[in-house]
């Protein structure tokens, strides 16, 4: 699913996106955000598409460098014969990233198009806006937001505008190394038909629901958790702990079912969790990781000699899309007398490194060496804290995670 657009029109919610691997464009419709959703296809491939409902007609705006406007037919299955189909903005000659990530809106009778591209003299994301009086008219504009919060000189861009109880905001992201793409919410004011991002705009304080947090799992789980893959809920339960049972043999955590994840925090964060491994089988691993293509995993494993603390790592060797199929590298293994272990992973995004620890009678002891993390496209979300259990010899083992603290 690539850069989806979400719209609400005439009692229906719409989600549309292009799929690179399928080379198709999909459209979902529902009367309720919770579903059920009806799926259809829009003939053609529309990169980073945006949808516009306007005077009984529906349009797509999409593309990279050449930004297209295409009118759809009535049943939204493809372009309308004889309808509008034109290039409305051109960023030819940009040696880095041409305009893309379209968001189009009709506001007070004018058509506003927000996009991202890079500065031409160096890599830095910048937000651009173009405006037209009509869909047949000329779109005029340029860069409107060039900032990076003093972080990495990577810039902030690509997003849409929202109006809510706290006023007008633009929601964009920043590429920030191994932590991934961080959401950035920027207040603005409309002045003379344009958004203005002054630093002195007054913003009212408000309570926000966090994207991460601690959880004891005693009465279910909090809402900031997400499963890495679509879960098999028959293999997990939340009852005085997060229980995972395996049902297959796999080589690494990428293929482990029911891996539970949440976002990490910059610039430095740490997470700690206690694992009860008493019901693991030989060859099973359970642990906490800085989870991405190049992961660092601190956990517990069982073999013929009993239980051991272990630190696993992986460094993907292929291209940015290629996820490793290799087993994790055992950086260090420490014999244990107990089947219960508390582990910790510290992520330092000023260095893009993760360091693993195990709790001993003398406090936390480092296990393995610091591991380099990289933002790659195999795990587009960046580094996340993850709880995983997987079997390398036989399925059926169970791990229980308690007292997760970030």
């Amino acid at each position: 699913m690539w850069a989806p657009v979400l719209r609400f029109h005439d009692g229906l919610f719409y989600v549309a996106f292009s799929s690179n691997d399928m080379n198709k464009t999909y459209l979902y419709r529902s009367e309720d955000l919770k579903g059920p959703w009806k799926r259809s296809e829009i003939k053609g491939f529309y990169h980073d598409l945006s949808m516009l409902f306007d005077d009984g007609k529906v349009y797509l705006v999409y593309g990279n460098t050449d930004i297209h406007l295409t009118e759809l037919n009535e049943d939204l299955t493809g372009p309308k014969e004889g309808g509008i189909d034109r290039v409305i903005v051109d960023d030819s000659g940009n040696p880095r990233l041409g305009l893309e990530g379209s968001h189009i809106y009709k506001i007070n009778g004018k058509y506003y198009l927000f996009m991202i591209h890079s500065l031409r003299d160096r890599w830095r994301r910048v937000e651009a806006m173009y405006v037209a009086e009509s869909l047949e008219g000329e779109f005029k504009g340029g860069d409107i937001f060039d900032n990076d919060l003093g972080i990495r000189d990577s810039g902030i861009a690509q997003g849409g505008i929202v109006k809510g109880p706290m006023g007008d905001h633009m929601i964009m992201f920043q590429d920030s190394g191994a932590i991934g793409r961080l959401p950035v919410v920027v207040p603005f004011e409309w002045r003379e038909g344009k958004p203005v991002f002054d630093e002195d705009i007054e913003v009212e304080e408000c309570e926000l629901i966090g994207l991460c947090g601690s959880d004891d799992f005693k009465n279910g789980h909090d809402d900031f958790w997400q499963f890495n893959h679509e879960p098999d809920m028959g293999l997990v339960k939340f009852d005085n702990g997060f229980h995972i049972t395996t049902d297959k043999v796999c080589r690494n955590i990428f293929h482990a079912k029911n891996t539970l994840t949440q976002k990490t925090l910059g610039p430095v964060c740490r997470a700690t969790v206690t694992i009860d491994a008493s019901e693991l089988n030989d060859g099973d691993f359970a642990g906490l990781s800085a989870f991405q293509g190049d992961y660092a995993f601190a956990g517990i494993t069982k073999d013929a000699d009993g239980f051991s603390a272990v630190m696993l790592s992986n460094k993907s060797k292929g291209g940015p899309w290629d996820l490793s199929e290799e087993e994790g590298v055992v950086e260090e293994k420490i014999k244990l007398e107990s089947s219960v272990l508390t582990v910790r992973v510290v992520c330092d995004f000023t260095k893009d490194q993760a360091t693993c620890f195990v709790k001993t009678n003398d406090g936390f002891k480092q296990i393995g060496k610091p591991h380099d993390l990289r933002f790659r496209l195999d795990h587009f979300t960046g580094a996340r804290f993850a709880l995983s259990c997987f079997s390398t010899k036989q399925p059926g083992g169970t791990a229980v995670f308690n007292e997760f603290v970030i």
Side-chain angles (χ1 to χ4, degrees), residues 121-185:
D121 63 343
R122 70 187 193 279
W123 173 254
R124 180 178 166 101
R125 294 180 177 275
V126 178
E127 186 74 9
M129 184 190 76
Y130 288 74
V131 185
E133 299 289 339
S134 71
L135 294 180
E136 294 82 6
E138 180 182 0
F139 279 78
K140 299 178 181 180
D143 296 342
I144 61 169
F145 189 82
D146 181 3
N147 199 330
D148 74 337
L149 300 179
I151 301 173
R152 295 177 182 263
D153 193 31
S154 62
I156 297 167
Q158 188 156 337
I161 58 174
V162 296
K163 178 182 286 291
M166 308 308 296
D168 294 304
H169 293 79
M170 176 166 279
I171 302 177
M172 297 178 284
F173 71 76
Q174 180 180 49
D175 278 335
S176 302
I179 197 172
R181 292 181 160 176
L182 300 180
V184 181
V185 183

Side-chain angles (χ1 to χ4, degrees), residues 41-44 46 52 54-60 62 69-86 135-136:
E41 295 181 16
I42 304 174
K43 185 178 180 180
Y46 307 93
L52 175 68
D54 185 34
D55 293 334
K57 299 179 181 180
V58 184
Y59 303 88
L60 299 182
Y62 58 95
L69 170 68
T70 297
E71 184 178 350
L72 297 181
N73 56 27
E74 290 186 1
D75 57 6
L76 309 185
T77 57
K80 179 181 178 180
E81 186 175 351
I84 294 177
D85 188 11
R86 56 185 289 246
L135 294 180
E136 294 82 6

Side-chain angles (χ1 to χ4, degrees), residues 312-381:
L312 303 176
S313 70
N314 181 71
K315 183 175 182 179
S316 299
K317 298 179 177 63
W321 292 97
D322 299 328
L323 196 61
S324 174
E325 296 294 333
E326 299 177 3
E327 296 179 359
V329 175
V330 178
E331 300 286 355
E332 188 175 355
K333 191 174 180 181
I334 303 172
K335 189 76 173 65
L336 298 174
E337 300 299 325
S338 171
S339 61
V340 177
L341 177 68
T342 298
V343 297
R344 172 175 290 170
V345 176
V346 177
C347 294
D348 185 344
F349 295 109
T350 67
K351 302 176 181 178
D352 278 350
Q353 283 188 339
T355 307
C356 298
F357 300 84
V358 295
K359 191 174 184 180
T360 68
N361 291 333
D362 299 321
F364 281 94
K365 175 182 181 293
Q366 182 175 323
I367 183 171
K369 59 182 182 292
H371 182 67
D372 291 336
L373 304 173
R374 291 184 295 168
F375 177 66
R376 291 166 43 87
L377 302 183
D378 49 23
H379 276 239
F380 215 135
T381 53

Side-chain angles (χ1 to χ4, degrees), residues 159-301:
I161 58 174
V162 296
K163 178 182 286 291
M166 308 308 296
D168 294 304
H169 293 79
M170 176 166 279
I171 302 177
M172 297 178 284
F173 71 76
Q174 180 180 49
D175 278 335
S176 302
I179 197 172
R181 292 181 160 176
L182 300 180
V184 181
V185 183
V186 182
F188 69 89
E189 291 179 352
W190 289 101
R191 297 178 191 169
E192 299 179 356
K194 295 182 180 180
V196 178
F197 304 92
D198 284 346
E199 294 184 2
D200 59 355
I201 292 176
E202 293 186 7
V203 181
E204 184 178 343
E205 293 291 333
C206 60
E207 293 294 328
L208 298 176
I209 298 174
L211 299 176
C212 56
S214 301
D215 199 345
D216 58 16
F217 299 120
K218 289 183 178 179
N219 297 296
H221 63 85
D222 281 312
D223 290 338
F224 40 68
W225 293 103
Q226 296 95 39
F227 283 103
N228 180 52
H229 300 94
E230 190 165 338
D232 182 346
M233 298 306 292
L235 298 173
V236 301
K237 68 177 180 178
F238 296 88
D239 181 13
N240 286 317
F242 168 47
H243 302 241
I244 314 177
T245 301
T246 69
D247 72 340
K248 66 176 182 177
V249 171
C250 55
R251 296 172 63 85
N252 56 41
I253 60 175
F254 300 139
H255 296 282
K257 278 189 178 180
N258 299 317
T259 292
L260 194 64
T261 77
Q262 64 170 261
K263 285 190 71 69
T264 48
L265 293 168
V268 179
C269 63
R270 71 184 187 189
T272 307
V273 71
T274 299
I275 310 165
D276 182 345
S278 58
E279 296 184 44
L280 291 186
N281 294 324
D282 286 358
D284 288 357
F285 291 79
L288 165 70
S289 63
F291 183 63
Q292 57 176 175
D294 293 3
Y295 65 78
F297 174 100
I300 187 169
T301 185

Side-chain angles (χ1 to χ4, degrees), residues 386-404:
L387 307 178
S388 305
C389 180
F390 65 98
S391 299
T392 64
K393 293 183 178 180
Q394 61 175 336
T398 298
V400 183
F401 296 86
N402 290 283
E403 300 299 334
F404 177 89

